[in-house]
């Protein structure tokens, strides 16, 4: 009670809309409302309001965030040809990942929340909670070397055009985090595709031909601590392995078929780790977007969302079935090397599982009826595989498939409801006879 009294005492005047909206956002983040409607109106029945629902998703993402942070550093040192074992130089990889990731998280949230606070004050309502999740999802679906100014533009575009233009949280048609990603993909395609974006902190040496490690003060400030502990340190100017490509398993499979990926041993040959073992692909020690590489972390988050009933099992299950069946059809067709990739191996490549767990299940943009959710998830799996396998320009289909189905989700719900109404009318007429 003393803490609540303290918050009540510092509550600013409602005449200052921006300050009061900011205060209200933090107050309701810490405390749930304890008021009920008088008389016969609707009452608050439990503590799971929208803000706490969003917070559950943020909790589910934490393991992806942790493993993704470490993998940023791991991929950097693999490209240098040193500390190539997954847990070697753990301290360097973790610090490197944190230095790379923190600015991305800060920029995404400062820009997104700043816009939310502005519109809340301008419209005279409380700050909405939707960006709690978007602010965590956006960094996890970006490459680790994304320029911060591009990220800021993408977040501003997604929040203003994708959400505020439609009225704010709960009114958006398209997934806000995916809109930020699609902005980067179409405006700056080289920053999120190909082999280059997955290794961070490199620069061309004076000869203009050799890539070398380019550390900042934020990296090297830890060197005295590491030296005192007798650990390895960041060495400025360390050359990258000549010929290192950074190609993802998805890119290898799309260009050369599963045989290229399957031949992987995960061993370092000539200082180059050019292939990936099944264990690496499972644990997340591969190039890719920050939060999309570790399958155990994603599955843990998905199970957490299912247990807490925040995400729909119907969407996840039908997504998996749609993906598997479409993959089997492509395996039978076998017209290209990518169609020949075993259908079950697709679940280990790219952002498929992350899209299933955290993107397709967005409660705002997904279908709302139970049958509609099954149709919605199945079609995402189908279209995602079609785009992934048949689109030569972009071997990843989930972003476009989910946005496509976001648009058609209301139509799916409409026909499901119309079908139910028609059945009930028909049943009523039979009873009336």
């Amino acid at each position: 009670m003393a803490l609540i009294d303290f918050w009540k005492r510092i509550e600013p005047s409602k005449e200052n809309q921006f300050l009061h909206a900011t205060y209200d956002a933090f107050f309701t983040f810490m405390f749930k409302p304890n008021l009920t409607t008088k008389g016969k109106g609707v009452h608050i029945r439990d503590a799971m309001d929208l803000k706490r629902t969003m917070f559950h998703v943020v909790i589910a993402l934490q393991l992806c965030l942790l493993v993704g942070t470490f993998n940023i550093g791991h991929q950097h040192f693999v490209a240098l040809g040193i500390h190539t074992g997954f847990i070697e130089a753990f301290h360097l990889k973790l610090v490197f990942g944190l230095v790379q990731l923190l600015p991305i998280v800060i920029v995404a949230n400062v820009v997104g929340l700043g816009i939310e606070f502005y519109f809340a004050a301008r419209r005279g309502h409380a700050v909405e909670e939707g960006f709690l999740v978007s602010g965590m999802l956006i960094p996890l679906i970006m490459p680790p070397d994304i320029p911060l100014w591009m990220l800021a533009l993408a977040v501003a575009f997604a929040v203003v055009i994708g959400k505020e233009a439609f009225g704010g949280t709960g009114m958006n048609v398209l997934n806000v985090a995916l809109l930020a990603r699609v902005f980067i993909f179409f405006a700056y395609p080289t920053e999120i595709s190909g082999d280059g974006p997955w290794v961070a902190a490199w620069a061309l040496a004076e000869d203009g031909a050799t890539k070398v490690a380019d550390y900042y003060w934020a990296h090297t400030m830890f060197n005295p601590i590491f030296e005192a502990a007798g650990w390895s340190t960041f060495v400025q100017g360390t050359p990258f392995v000549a010929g290192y490509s950074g190609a993802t398993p998805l890119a290898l499979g799309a260009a050369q078929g599963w045989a290229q990926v399957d031949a992987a041993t995960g061993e370092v040959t000539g200082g180059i780790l050019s292939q990936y073992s099944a264990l690496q692909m499972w644990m997340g020690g591969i190039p890719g977007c920050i939060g999309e590489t570790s399958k155990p972390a994603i599955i843990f988050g998905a199970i957490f969302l299912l247990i807490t009933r925040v995400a729909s099992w119907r969407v996840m299950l039908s997504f998996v079935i749609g993906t598997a069946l479409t993959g089997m059809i492509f395996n039978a067709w076998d017209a290209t090397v990518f169609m020949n990739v075993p259908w079950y191996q697709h679940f280990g490549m790219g952002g498929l599982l992350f899209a299933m767990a955290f993107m397709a299940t967005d409660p705002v943009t997904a279908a709302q009826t139970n049958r509609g959710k099954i149709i919605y998830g199945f079609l995402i799996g189908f279209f995602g595989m079609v785009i992934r396998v048949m689109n030569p320009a972009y071997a990843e289909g989930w972003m476009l498939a989910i946005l496509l189905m976001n648009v058609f989700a209301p139509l799916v719900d409409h026909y499901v409801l119309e079908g139910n109404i028609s059945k009930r009318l028909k049943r009523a007429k039979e009873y009336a006879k």
Side-chain angles (χ1 to χ4, degrees):
M1 291 301 294
L3 187 58
I4 294 179
D5 292 340
F6 168 76
W7 276 91
K8 292 289 186 184
R9 284 199 299 274
I10 65 172
E11 182 177 358
S13 169
K14 292 184 179 179
E15 293 180 358
N16 189 332
Q17 293 184 344
F18 182 81
L19 195 58
H20 191 272
T22 304
Y23 163 85
D24 184 72
F26 286 101
F27 180 78
T28 55
F29 184 78
M30 296 185 66
F31 304 102
K32 66 180 179 64
N34 61 348
L35 304 175
T36 57
T37 306
K38 295 180 180 179
K40 297 182 179 179
V42 176
H43 293 257
I44 296 172
R45 293 184 172 84
D46 60 37
M48 185 60 93
D49 59 4
L50 179 59
K51 193 162 286 188
R52 265 140 285 276
T53 300
M54 296 294 180
F55 194 64
H56 275 72
V57 183
V58 174
I59 293 174
L61 288 166
Q62 292 311 300
L63 198 53
C64 293
L65 188 72
L66 179 62
V67 179
T69 302
F70 180 78
N71 191 44
I72 293 173
H74 178 64
Q75 294 306 316
H76 172 78
F77 285 102
V78 166
L80 290 174
I82 56 177
H83 310 311
T84 52
F86 192 59
I87 60 172
E88 286 182 31
F90 186 90
H91 59 294
L92 289 179
K93 294 175 181 177
L94 189 59
V95 167
F96 184 90
L98 284 172
V99 171
Q100 202 70 23
L101 179 65
L102 280 177
I104 295 175
V105 174
I106 292 171
V107 167
N109 282 276
V110 167
V111 174
L113 288 174
I115 294 172
E116 292 250 357
F117 279 42
Y118 170 77
F119 276 97
R122 185 179 177 84
R123 293 169 176 167
H125 61 66
V127 175
E128 293 158 337
E129 298 83 358
F131 202 78
L132 279 176
V133 173
S134 300
M136 188 58 64
L137 285 173
I138 290 173
L140 292 177
I141 59 175
M142 291 292 166
D145 216 24
I146 184 74
L148 296 179
W149 66 271
M150 291 183 189
L151 177 67
L153 283 178
V155 172
F157 172 83
V159 176
V160 174
I161 305 300
K163 186 160 73 171
E164 298 300 340
F166 289 90
T169 298
M171 306 296 288
N172 52 299
V173 177
L174 302 173
N175 184 295
V176 174
L178 286 180
L179 269 184
R181 177 164 167 151
V182 84
F183 178 89
I184 296 288
F185 176 71
F186 285 110
Y188 310 100
T190 57
E191 300 295 337
I192 201 169
S193 59
D195 299 339
W198 319 117
V199 178
W202 60 269
L204 291 176
E206 292 181 357
D207 60 11
T210 306
K211 292 179 180 178
V212 297
D214 185 22
Y215 298 121
Y216 316 123
W217 62 266
H219 300 109
T220 56
M221 66 182 290
F222 290 95
N223 276 349
I225 301 173
F226 297 154
E227 286 175 352
W231 298 343
S232 51
T233 60
F234 293 106
V235 180
Q236 188 74 280
T238 303
F240 277 62
V241 173
Y244 180 81
S245 69
T248 64
L250 184 63
L252 289 173
Q256 304 173 57
W258 180 248
Q260 180 65 18
V261 183
D262 194 34
T265 61
E267 297 177 351
V268 180
T269 304
I272 303 176
L273 184 64
S274 58
Q275 306 285 3
Y276 309 105
S277 67
L279 182 62
Q280 286 175 308
M281 292 178 61
W282 172 253
M283 296 303 295
I286 55 176
C289 289
I290 294 171
E292 296 181 349
T293 59
S294 175
K295 282 67 185 179
I298 296 170
I299 292 172
F300 172 82
I303 293 173
F304 179 82
L305 293 180
L306 290 174
I307 292 174
T308 54
R309 305 182 73 175
V310 171
S312 167
W313 65 266
R314 293 178 176 84
V315 173
M316 288 194 194
L317 180 61
S318 57
F319 183 116
V320 170
I321 293 173
T323 301
L325 290 178
T326 311
M328 292 176 192
I329 293 171
F330 281 128
N331 285 171
W333 189 354
D334 195 18
T336 67
V337 290
F338 204 15
M339 288 184 186
N340 195 33
V341 173
W343 62 270
Y344 50 87
Q345 298 292 358
H346 280 280
F347 289 90
M349 296 192 293
L352 191 157
L353 287 180
F354 193 88
M356 176 209 70
F358 300 109
M359 294 299 184
T361 54
D362 178 1
V364 175
T365 56
Q368 303 300 310
T369 59
N370 287 340
R371 186 173 297 176
K373 289 175 182 175
I374 294 173
I375 298 170
Y376 170 85
F378 183 88
L379 289 178
I380 290 177
F382 170 76
F383 285 123
M385 281 296 288
V386 169
I387 296 170
R388 169 182 274 197
V389 175
M390 302 191 71
N391 178 8
Y394 185 52
E396 185 62 287
W398 312 110
M399 171 184 70
L400 300 176
I402 293 173
L403 290 176
L404 175 68
M405 287 310 302
N406 284 169
V407 174
F408 284 101
L411 186 64
V412 171
D413 281 334
H414 170 76
Y415 280 109
V416 169
L417 290 174
E418 287 294 316
N420 287 337
I421 292 172
S422 178
K423 284 181 181 177
R424 292 184 179 187
L425 286 175
K426 186 177 180 181
R427 197 180 305 149
K429 289 178 181 177
E430 291 177 353
Y431 285 139
K433 289 180 180 178

